[in-house]
Amino acid sequence: MSFNRRSLLAACAGLPFATSAFASARQVGLGELAARSGRYFGSAVTRDDVSDAGPHIRLFDGECSVWVPSWQMKWGALVPTLGETPDYRNCDTIVASAAKRDKRLRGHALIWHEHLPAGAERLSTAADWRRFVAPHITAVAGRYRDAIFEWDVVNEAIEPYDDGADLMRRSPFYAMLGPDYVAEAFRLAAEAAPSARLYLNDDHLYYAEDWQERRRTGMLRLLDRLVKAKVPIHGLGMQCHLDTRLRFDERIFRRFLGQIEDLGLTLSITELDVTEAPNAGDRSMAQRRLRAAAEAGKVLSVALDSPALAGVVTWGLSDDDSWLRNRGADMADNQGLPYDDAYRPTPLRDALASRFASTRTRHPT
Ligand code: G3I
């Protein structure tokens, strides 16, 4: 089929995610490209992103095979004040839209020390866990047992700066049950949603910095304990909030991925984006976008070499919606996602597309 301008425009008209008259009629969605290598691609979404009236639904539909609620499935979003009845309306809307558009849903996150119900930060006993936390995990995982294929059960359990010998974060969950809260959360989730794949999710595990090496050590110790105790855990979610100021050493990252594989766990990149603005220097916007793409590309190249990597999720699709933009004045124009403020594809999208297209096919176990 030959493409002249008229036929190209006509062909673009029906594309679910054509964002410009010159979008290639042969542009294949990232979800489709990922699927060809046996993986998924998706994005964090809000209820508004995935409503039919959403201004960018065609992008979220055309690019993603997986959606992840960015905040509306968190405990504090469902239950603003401890003891209140959960409000599932936003999540139910996302679930219905995903079903209508044949998207799979990752759940995020059953427990996290942030975005808690008001009052939950004071919970500190095993009785508190039994009264509030366990029922929350069971209720949410159970409600969406047939809608969510993969859960971030526990988010951000590692924190070496809390000075614990186990390098774990001293969160209210840790106060209630000690380090075993992680295993207990996974057991409850497995009981409520027996067909879901259950992940431990965390960040800052990819760069050569010493403080990230301590995080990798803490994470490996925790995962080793969970696997040896036969806790129902399937994978590690690596958030991958990348940062061009940090030092990447392919050998170190590749070794870490191998250690996760040796534990028999799968991997997912769960929140990919790039911080590049603080050290943008006098680079042009085009150069900054290329540098963000190169940062993502070098991490993706190593991660996609791992047969354990099941999928990649970006934390949003366009920079104007990025949480990074709220992280200070020097981040106001950060360029770190697959689409720019005008919803045009960026070099980071090309980096995702080219890595998916060139990676070895994964055969899920
Ligand atoms: O949209 C509503 C607005 O209508 C309302 O007036 C306002 C008042 O509170 O809230 C707005 O929603 C906010 C939402 O972000 C959208 O901006 C929520 O309050 C706010 O809590 C929410 O923050 C999210 C944050 O997690 C806490 O849940 C961010 O979007 C989300 O990007 C961030 O994601 C985390 C991951 O879960 C874990 N890894 C780090 C990542 C970034 O912090």
Side-chain angles (χ1 to χ4, degrees), residues 46 70-71 74 108 112 114-115 155-156 201 203 239 241 271 315 323 326-327:
T46 65
S70 60
W71 64 279
K74 291 165 183 170
H108 175 81
W112 183 34
E114 294 189 27
H115 209 160
N155 193 37
E156 301 177 8
N201 194 50
D203 199 13
Q239 293 178 15
H241 293 298
E271 305 180 17
W315 208 239
W323 73 287
N326 305 322
R327 290 175 62 80

Side-chain angles (χ1 to χ4, degrees), residues 111-317:
I111 58 174
W112 183 34
H113 64 283
E114 294 189 27
H115 209 160
L116 290 169
E121 70 284 352
R122 293 192 298 275
L123 299 177
S124 61
T125 67
D128 289 337
W129 175 279
R130 288 192 296 274
R131 181 177 173 200
F132 293 106
V133 183
H136 158 66
I137 293 173
T138 300
V140 179
R143 183 182 184 91
Y144 299 117
R145 59 184 290 146
D146 300 324
I148 288 181
F149 82 100
E150 194 168 275
W151 266 109
D152 289 333
V153 176
V154 175
N155 193 37
E156 301 177 8
I158 299 299
E159 184 42 85
Y161 290 122
D162 280 1
D163 293 328
D166 56 14
L167 302 178
M168 290 179 70
R169 183 183 304 277
R170 286 336 187 233
S171 66
F173 306 109
Y174 195 102
M176 285 181 255
L177 288 192
D180 291 343
Y181 84 88
V182 178
E184 186 54 24
F186 274 83
R187 291 189 188 104
L188 288 166
E191 194 177 334
S195 57
R197 297 183 62 75
L198 305 178
Y199 273 58
L200 183 61
N201 194 50
D202 216 321
D203 199 13
H204 311 305
L205 297 165
Y206 344 102
Y207 288 105
E209 268 66 19
D210 289 347
W211 63 275
Q212 296 217 1
E213 187 58 31
R214 290 194 74 213
R215 294 182 62 81
R216 286 187 287 270
T217 301
M219 178 56 77
L220 288 165
R221 277 188 201 160
L222 174 54
L223 290 172
D224 187 59
R225 260 202 335 269
L226 294 171
V227 169
K228 282 181 176 154
K230 300 194 182 327
V231 169
I233 179 171
H234 301 96
L236 171 67
M238 302 183 293
Q239 293 178 15
C240 285
H241 293 298
L242 304 181
D243 191 321
T244 57
R245 294 168 292 184
L246 299 177
R247 187 165 51 89
F248 181 73
D249 180 325
E250 172 178 335
R251 294 161 304 161
I252 291 174
F253 188 42
R254 199 177 293 279
R255 183 186 65 211
F256 176 66
L257 299 184
Q259 290 167 306
I260 302 298
E261 291 168 31
D262 292 346
L263 286 168
L265 297 172
T266 53
L267 287 155
S268 288
I269 290 176
T270 55
E271 305 180 17
L272 178 65
D273 52 26
V274 179
T275 289
E276 56 74 38
N279 64 336
D282 57 1
R283 291 182 178 87
S284 69
M285 201 54 86
Q287 288 166 330
R288 289 171 56 183
R289 290 188 182 122
L290 284 170
R291 192 162 63 122
E295 190 73 16
K298 64 187 176 186
V299 173
L300 285 166
S301 294
V302 176
L304 283 164
D305 265 352
S306 168
L309 188 80
V312 178
V313 170
T314 54
W315 208 239
L317 285 179

Side-chain angles (χ1 to χ4, degrees), residues 96-108:
S97 180
K100 177 180 175 184
R101 294 178 182 275
D102 197 22
K103 304 301 172 192
R104 293 197 295 166
L105 277 179
R106 280 198 97 244
H108 175 81

